[in-house]
Amino acid sequence: MTNHYIDFRNADVILNMGSNVAENHPVSFKWIQAARDKGATFIHVDPRFTRTSAKADIFARLRSGTDIAFLGGMIKYILDNNLYDEFYLKNYTNASFIATPKYNFDDGLFSGYDPNKRSYDASTWALEKDDKGIPKRDMTLQDPRCVYQLLKKHYSRYTLEKVTAITGTPQGDLEMVYKAYCATGAADKAGTVLYAMGWTQHTVGVQNIRAMSIIQELLGNMGIAGGGINALRGESNVQGSTDQGLLFHILPGYLPAPRAQWPAREDYNKTSPATKDSRSVNWWKNRPKYLTSILKSFYGDKATKDNDFGYAWLPKLDTTQDASWLNLFDQMYKGAFTGFFAWGMNPACSSANAGKVRQALTKLDWMVNVNVFDNETGSFWKGPGMDPKKIKTEVFMLPCAAFLEKEGSISNSGRWMQWRWKATNPPGAARPDGEIMYDLFKKVRALYKKENGPFTDPIFNMKWDYETDGKFDIHKIAKEINGYFLEDIPEHPVDKKAYKKGALVPSFVFLLDDGRTSCGNWIYSASYTEAGNMAARRKKTDATGLGLYPEWSWAWPVNRRIIYNRASVDLEGKPRDTKRQLLKWDAENKKWAGDIPDGPAPPMGTEGVYPFIMKPDGVASIFGPGLKDGPFPEHYEPLECPIEKNLMSNQRINPAVKIFEGAADSFATCDPRYPFVCTTYRVTEHWQTGVLTRWLPWLTEAEPQMFCELSQELGKLRGIENGDKVLVETQRGKLEATAIVTLRLKPFIIAAQTVHLIGLPWHFGWIYPKDGGDSANLLTPTIGDPNTMIPESKAFMANVVKLTKEPAKPKGGDKHGR
Amino acid sequence: MKVLTRREFLKFSGITAAGLAFSQLGFDLTAARTYAAELRTELRIKGAKETPTICCFCSVGCGILVSTDLKGKVINAEGDPDHPISEGALCPKGGSTYQIAINDNRLKKVLYRAPKSDKWKEVSWDWAFNKIAANIKKSRDKSFMEKNADGKVVNRTNGIASVGSAALDNEECWLYQKMLRSLGLVYIEHQARI
């Protein structure tokens, strides 16, 4: 999130799209209600009518997988009716920037496409610079190649008629949503958007979010109280686990993972974004400091100037290697791995195309599964269709402590890093995960000391001293993440003050690239300082009255509660919205008041800095050349869809997606065997694969089993009644469920034909409860967004039939053909 | 009407006799049944130690107060009224966290399944660590790649992959990626990707 949960209450209009906030983030709904109590409008856009819709002032239904069409129509509406925030657009975005003449878009394809590689050469998407290297601009927004004009041209195609034909949303509903939301283009109005996996789990996932980001930029809603782009993340620490670099492509703090083409630190450092514009802060220019400091946190004294601070010890990816989830399991399925850790995870239920994952697990020599309860991954070898006698995989099931049985911090979606204290001991032999990995690595190291092996430097040189009096000490890791001064610094270049060796650094501003500082994760620097453990703070001061609570826990970066907050003020530093004063420049004392500003520099004025400090150009990107599938979001159909032709162009699916073609990967589009759009979701009483919640009696009593939601119209068509057992089937697998025939789902009229939607929760698994059913992910396809490779679990094609104990009726059947 | 926080209410009600006329406090008497439930909870946690924590489920980050008895056993878990986001509220999942601690189905033993076996065997931590360490070494040594097909130095372990976990604390996540990267892994993924 750019903002945070309590901030919802500051909005005038709240759009919840691609998520079901009332059911999946229930307690946060109190802040939506708080906004509504003050007169705010709450809009829900979703394929299903849910408890969120029931609480909404406006509900609009759209076909799953058509969000860009819906939002593209909104962009057109803003431009057609001049509803944008002109000051913001001109000063704080790249609307006035000029694209090169090489940029083009024609019939669903951007310039630079190579159909054989299914990828783009993005060099034609560049923005022009003058001879000093400063971006060219036309502040009148009239140049036909300026971003504003290109945007206008691109979305001129997204007419209400076309959007309705694609999404199935009635025109009147579209206009109602557009009108309500776009009213937030005024400087004294705030609009916010809350999304979740309903946007990310698509082959156009990133562009769904980009489309909304463009809207937020047009309306001046980024960097303000009551605004922003707010992901409602699904797990209590998925923000933190991402921040800490548990992904193939990033080290902690979003530093790119090293690759073969950057053999030395010097090569790596050249990847740091650069700008020639002195008014652009371009914070990523500091990347070299964060790299050297993280290497010091990895290897301690063993990392020296002479050995390039141990950079060579970090593993390198091949030049364009993508080791993300779907590829990982594809490789496992092909037998590429002998060993596997599923640590605090249940991929046998959580992964798209879970049947393929379960087969992949049989190809391993060994697997370590660490979990609180038994689960379908650790016990895969005795699952449905498995013959243990034929499965060679050695499995270790290690019992770990639950959250209340250990100490440490987690980060919520609002980037609040909150400390958790230990309430009790774990049961039996269960141990905290941290202790398990700490001791395990010691064993590995001892074994290498004894037997030696290839390239032992990173194993022997790794700093692994997080204990006090022989006991694992989580605080030592928290401090390592924050960072230390490793030498006495008599006069620090930043503030000319002296710092002692061994002291915790006050913040990442003090990190150096010469090995005199360490820091495990620069964005968490300032979280555990000489002043104490900031995440453990529990003071409830709120000087701005905006609910920032700066002394409750700690938020990254540097306790900034709303990021890009410099965009909330005018060129002189005065709040543009006087009702919600997030930040204010005190000209007399030359300092900011309010939230922690995005850097101490004076307001933009004529001399100050641009507000979007993480962007090389210092402004928000309406034209975004950094993605794999185009600088503007464009509607494409899901991989599996109900219509032969994309109504926007002749490109049916996203031209940049990778198609998996192995034996376990098959797809069906416009196939009469799989006539219905299917989507997956969660219920309030369960969480993710149910790996924790299925074992809690209160919750399983409330939601005991797998179900399939379908409309009354579809029930009639298929002879399915509420409570019937049904079989749901896709190209990948089949699944039994109990039918819920409901008014909450309705058929769509798409391109003049009726399209039915069915819905499945994905919380269940064969292991427990006994008759609870299995995972909805047995049905989902192996296909991902080209930028993130997040799988398309929210829109695919399926069939549903009633399960009867009687033999199937002969073909031809009754008068309804069933 | 004086507005009492729930805590003040509990404190006050805890030192009053059950027969006291609550109307004197300015309370709406229709809450009597709720009060009775609260009183039971209050007695249940009398003398207990309260430990603040944060819910393990979604990403809202609601505050939970866990009460333990003198032996350290969890006897209650409820919303933390001081928490600025949740203000004492919890959803059904957060309200069920007591059952995570008190649950007969928890994994309490280290289990091992040998190749082609149809059952778990109980083992010690030490036995498991030794065997896992030997497996890691074998897989790493066999698949370690110093240079890739282009002749570039990559120093990585191709034969081991990892997924997990957003269920770990920040400090554990950091330690885990450090361990995996020091072992040379590049197939490092978790819930954030799905």
Side-chain angles (χ1 to χ4, degrees):
Chain A
M1 280 189 192
T2 55
N3 295 41
H4 61 101
Y5 282 103
I6 297 172
D7 188 58
F8 300 170
R9 81 167 196 224
N10 294 321
D12 294 301
V13 185
I14 300 169
L15 171 63
N16 183 215
M17 186 165 170
S19 130
N20 173 10
V21 59
E23 293 185 64
N24 293 336
H25 298 82
V27 174
S28 78
F29 205 91
K30 68 161 58 200
W31 302 113
I32 296 172
Q33 196 55 45
R36 291 186 73 219
D37 290 346
K38 290 191 292 181
T41 304
F42 176 54
I43 307 169
H44 189 220
V45 179
D46 202 87
R48 297 187 302 141
F49 186 91
T50 64
R51 287 182 179 88
T52 301
S53 326
K55 281 284 181 184
D57 300 293
I58 302 171
F59 169 66
R61 203 184 288 275
L62 91 171
R63 170 170 61 104
S64 192
T66 62
D67 302 69
I68 290 174
F70 192 103
L71 298 172
M74 195 184 311
I75 294 172
K76 181 176 186 324
Y77 185 89
I78 294 168
L79 298 175
D80 286 354
N81 297 291
N82 293 326
L83 296 171
Y84 50 83
D85 181 336
E86 191 179 347
F87 168 85
Y88 194 102
L89 193 65
K90 287 183 174 171
N91 289 288
Y92 296 162
T93 79
N94 67 9
S96 62
F97 288 37
I98 315 287
T100 68
K102 287 184 205 152
Y103 167 76
N104 188 32
F105 175 80
D106 183 32
D107 193 23
L109 286 175
F110 294 92
S111 45
Y113 187 64
D114 181 342
N116 296 319
K117 290 186 186 159
R118 292 192 63 81
S119 70
Y120 285 102
D121 167 10
S123 65
T124 62
W125 307 343
L127 293 166
E128 285 191 330
K129 292 188 172 156
D130 66 16
D131 47 13
K132 289 186 193 123
I134 311 279
K136 286 187 189 169
R137 300 177 86 158
D138 170 22
M139 293 304 271
T140 69
L141 307 181
Q142 295 307 307
D143 189 308
R145 283 194 285 113
C146 81
V147 167
Y148 173 82
Q149 293 295 338
L150 295 175
L151 181 81
K152 205 166 178 171
K153 189 176 164 198
H154 191 91
Y155 291 100
S156 63
R157 301 146 55 236
Y158 286 69
T159 60
L160 286 173
E161 297 73 24
K162 200 146 248 188
V163 172
T164 289
I166 294 169
T167 59
T169 314
Q171 275 194 38
D173 290 0
L174 285 176
E175 282 182 295
M176 198 157 40
V177 174
Y178 294 171
K179 190 177 173 205
Y181 196 76
C182 300
T184 64
D188 62 351
K189 293 281 179 211
T192 189
V193 60
L194 324 179
Y195 74 92
M197 312 317 277
W199 269 359
T200 59
Q201 289 180 339
H202 291 283
T203 43
V204 291
V206 171
Q207 298 285 12
N208 282 334
I209 299 153
R210 273 275 299 147
M212 192 66 214
S213 304
I214 289 173
I215 291 169
Q216 290 296 67
E217 290 160 22
L218 288 169
L219 300 174
N221 280 333
M222 293 293 278
I224 64 167
I229 288 273
N230 298 306
L232 310 177
R233 306 202 67 175
E235 306 223 7
S236 60
N237 197 34
V238 73
Q239 183 61 54
S241 56
T242 309
D243 301 336
Q244 306 300 349
L246 274 174
L247 292 165
F248 91 92
H249 70 296
I250 45 170
L251 300 179
Y254 302 92
L255 302 173
R259 288 185 180 268
Q261 64 269 39
W262 313 317
R265 207 166 47 103
E266 190 189 352
D267 308 298
Y268 182 95
N269 287 342
K270 283 182 193 151
T271 66
S272 308
T275 177
K276 299 229 164 103
D277 191 338
S278 59
R279 299 182 63 198
S280 176
V281 174
N282 181 35
W283 194 263
W284 274 117
K285 70 185 172 215
N286 295 302
R287 190 178 283 170
K289 298 173 188 170
Y290 308 148
L291 177 71
T292 306
S293 296
I294 200 175
L295 288 167
K296 290 297 290 182
S297 77
F298 263 59
Y299 306 117
D301 294 342
K302 299 286 172 51
T304 64
K305 217 167 245 174
D306 292 341
N307 62 23
D308 208 21
F309 296 105
Y311 176 78
W313 300 335
L314 285 177
K316 311 286 183 296
L317 292 153
D318 289 340
T319 308
T320 57
Q321 186 178 358
D322 184 316
S324 64
W325 185 278
L326 296 177
N327 287 320
L328 185 160
F329 284 103
D330 196 53
Q331 287 294 308
M332 190 187 292
Y333 184 79
K334 290 172 179 160
F337 307 120
T338 50
F340 178 55
F341 291 94
W343 200 305
M345 279 219 71
N346 187 16
C349 286
S350 64
S351 181
N353 202 356
K356 178 180 175 182
V357 169
R358 294 176 187 186
Q359 285 302 319
L361 298 174
T362 69
K363 315 277 173 80
L364 297 164
D365 287 350
W366 57 270
M367 168 170 69
V368 175
N369 181 225
V370 188
N371 237 315
V372 175
F373 292 102
D374 192 6
N375 60 86
E376 289 75 10
T377 301
S379 289
F380 80 95
W381 46 273
K382 51 177 173 174
M386 296 282 175
D387 179 358
K389 288 187 204 72
K390 291 185 181 148
I391 297 168
K392 62 171 178 168
T393 314
E394 238 182 340
V395 185
F396 301 83
M397 178 99 84
L398 309 182
C400 63
F403 75 106
L404 69 181
E405 297 155 358
K406 62 183 179 183
E407 193 180 19
S409 73
I410 57 170
S411 302
N412 78 355
S413 277
R415 297 167 287 102
W416 290 20
M417 177 198 193
Q418 304 192 89
W419 197 259
R420 301 199 285 204
W421 287 266
K422 180 183 167 176
T424 187
N425 287 319
R431 300 178 68 193
D433 298 270
E435 275 185 40
I436 298 173
M437 56 189 83
Y438 191 70
D439 283 357
L440 175 61
F441 185 75
K442 281 185 174 175
K443 287 278 186 190
V444 176
R445 175 136 73 186
L447 191 60
Y448 272 95
K449 282 254 156 81
K450 199 171 128 200
E451 297 179 0
N452 215 343
F455 199 62
T456 48
D457 288 356
I459 295 175
F460 294 155
N461 294 337
M462 187 172 44
K463 187 172 176 285
W464 204 251
D465 57 355
Y466 307 111
E467 54 193 278
T468 301
D469 301 330
K471 280 195 168 165
F472 178 69
D473 185 351
I474 205 86
H475 290 266
K476 283 202 166 159
I477 302 171
K479 290 175 183 173
E480 186 83 278
I481 291 171
N482 178 81
Y484 292 98
F485 291 109
L486 302 175
E487 290 174 29
D488 283 344
I489 298 182
E491 195 182 280
H492 195 286
V494 168
D495 62 357
K496 312 293 172 210
K497 287 185 183 156
Y499 290 94
K500 282 274 173 214
K501 177 181 176 175
L504 292 157
V505 296
S507 79
F508 54 72
V509 174
F510 295 85
L511 297 177
L512 302 166
D513 67 355
D514 58 8
R516 287 186 292 164
T517 56
S518 70
C519 175
N521 185 345
W522 73 275
I523 61 172
Y524 279 76
S525 192
S527 65
Y528 207 130
T529 66
E530 291 299 323
N533 181 0
M534 298 293 135
R537 295 182 302 170
R538 284 173 64 89
K539 260 176 89 176
K540 286 168 71 176
T541 53
D542 183 23
T544 61
L546 292 169
L548 302 181
Y549 296 108
E551 293 181 286
W552 181 278
S553 72
W554 181 86
W556 71 259
V558 288
N559 208 28
R560 185 173 300 137
R561 302 286 163 143
I562 295 179
I563 56 182
Y564 294 127
N565 50 26
R566 297 176 71 102
S568 70
V569 298
D570 66 13
L571 299 181
E572 283 74 47
K574 286 202 286 290
R576 296 189 67 227
D577 182 348
T578 50
K579 292 195 306 271
R580 286 161 281 224
Q581 301 198 11
L582 179 59
L583 209 60
K584 196 178 189 174
W585 176 249
D586 175 351
E588 203 174 314
N589 297 303
K590 294 205 178 310
K591 63 177 192 185
W592 292 96
D595 193 10
I596 306 285
D598 262 305
M604 192 167 133
T606 47
E607 307 272 298
V609 300
Y610 305 141
F612 287 83
I613 65 165
M614 301 310 287
K615 306 287 295 179
D617 295 329
V619 292
S621 302
I622 284 178
F623 185 86
L627 296 178
K628 291 192 174 158
D629 47 358
F632 288 130
E634 170 68 6
H635 169 72
Y636 302 106
E637 288 291 324
L639 173 71
E640 292 189 331
C641 65
I643 52 176
E644 289 282 2
K645 192 185 169 319
N646 176 359
L647 298 180
M648 288 310 302
S649 74
N650 282 309
Q651 296 299 319
R652 193 176 57 80
I653 61 168
N654 187 336
V657 289
K658 173 182 173 175
I659 306 286
F660 288 82
E661 289 173 302
D665 291 301
S666 53
F667 313 103
T669 278
C670 297
D671 184 328
R673 290 175 300 165
Y674 307 104
F676 311 128
V677 177
C678 187
T679 193
T680 61
Y681 48 83
R682 309 194 315 189
V683 300
T684 305
E685 292 79 5
H686 282 297
W687 179 74
Q688 314 299 59
T689 67
V691 67
L692 294 176
T693 52
R694 278 187 272 135
W695 298 94
L696 309 189
W698 294 337
L699 297 174
T700 300
E701 186 180 345
E703 287 283 1
Q705 66 200 345
M706 185 67 198
F707 61 80
C708 173
E709 253 186 302
L710 52 114
S711 69
Q712 293 185 331
E713 291 84 349
L714 181 56
K716 205 169 168 189
L717 186 72
R718 284 293 167 110
I720 297 167
E721 287 177 16
N722 202 33
D724 280 351
K725 285 278 169 207
V726 294
L727 187 73
V728 189
E729 195 172 355
T730 69
Q731 275 284 60
R732 275 78 52 190
K734 48 183 89 168
L735 186 67
E736 287 183 28
T738 301
I740 296 183
V741 179
T742 172
L743 281 166
R744 295 193 294 258
L745 265 60
K746 286 272 173 205
F748 296 93
I749 306 297
I750 307 295
Q753 57 175 331
T754 302
V755 172
H756 292 280
L757 174 84
I758 61 174
L760 304 167
W762 62 283
H763 302 299
F764 297 95
W766 59 267
I767 213 161
Y768 193 85
K770 199 170 151 272
D771 302 315
D774 210 337
S775 174
N777 275 317
L778 292 168
L779 308 184
T780 51
T782 309
I783 183 85
D785 173 276
N787 302 289
T788 61
M789 289 299 279
I790 290 178
E792 189 160 68
S793 309
K794 290 288 177 268
F796 52 95
M797 299 303 289
N799 191 24
V800 58
V801 291
K802 183 173 169 173
L803 268 181
T804 50
K805 287 197 177 138
E806 303 103 66
K809 285 179 182 151
K811 275 195 177 162
D814 59 21
K815 63 180 179 177
H816 301 295
R818 59 183 189 221
Chain B
M1 179 173 120
K2 177 174 160 45
V3 178
L4 291 184
T5 67
R6 192 175 157 281
R7 269 192 159 177
E8 284 165 341
F9 171 75
L10 284 178
K11 204 170 145 194
F12 194 93
S13 60
I15 55 164
T16 52
L20 189 100
F22 281 101
S23 56
Q24 289 170 13
L25 298 176
F27 282 109
D28 179 355
L29 282 170
T30 55
R33 279 176 62 195
T34 314
Y35 164 71
E38 296 278 14
L39 196 64
R40 277 200 298 278
T41 307
E42 197 273 338
L43 288 175
R44 190 146 66 111
I45 61 174
K46 200 162 191 170
K49 186 183 158 205
E50 274 187 344
T51 306
T53 184
I54 304 295
C55 182
C56 63
F57 292 115
C58 88
S59 64
V60 175
C62 300
I64 295 180
L65 288 178
V66 180
S67 299
T68 43
D69 67 13
L70 295 173
K71 290 177 185 162
K73 187 186 166 196
V74 175
I75 50 173
N76 192 42
E78 64 183 56
D80 179 351
D82 293 333
H83 197 280
I85 299 173
S86 54
E87 298 182 322
L90 289 176
C91 78
K93 290 188 292 294
S96 301
T97 48
Y98 163 80
Q99 292 192 324
I100 293 182
I102 305 299
N103 194 309
D104 290 340
N105 287 311
R106 280 286 297 271
L107 287 174
K108 292 169 190 159
K109 293 166 181 167
V110 183
L111 299 175
Y112 172 73
R113 184 257 176 187
K116 304 193 176 173
S117 167
D118 62 356
K119 56 182 173 294
W120 291 114
K121 190 177 120 190
E122 196 183 322
V123 296
S124 70
W125 275 107
D126 210 45
W127 187 91
F129 278 153
N130 281 328
K131 197 143 171 67
I132 296 167
N135 283 348
I136 290 172
K137 186 169 187 305
K138 192 175 165 195
S139 291
R140 181 183 180 272
D141 292 0
K142 204 172 103 188
S143 69
F144 195 82
M145 179 184 259
E146 196 196 322
K147 286 182 179 169
N148 67 8
D150 301 333
K152 298 222 164 78
V153 175
V154 291
N155 285 332
R156 68 172 188 243
T157 298
N158 287 326
I160 308 177
S162 166
V163 297
S165 176
L168 302 176
D169 291 345
N170 281 315
E171 296 73 24
E172 294 171 332
C173 289
W174 188 86
L175 191 71
Y176 189 48
Q177 63 83 35
K178 181 180 187 182
M179 174 179 95
L180 297 174
R181 292 192 158 108
S182 294
L183 291 172
L185 270 69
V186 292
Y187 280 94
I188 299 171
E189 287 284 288
H190 81 285
Q191 287 95 332
R193 188 76 67 188
I194 53 175

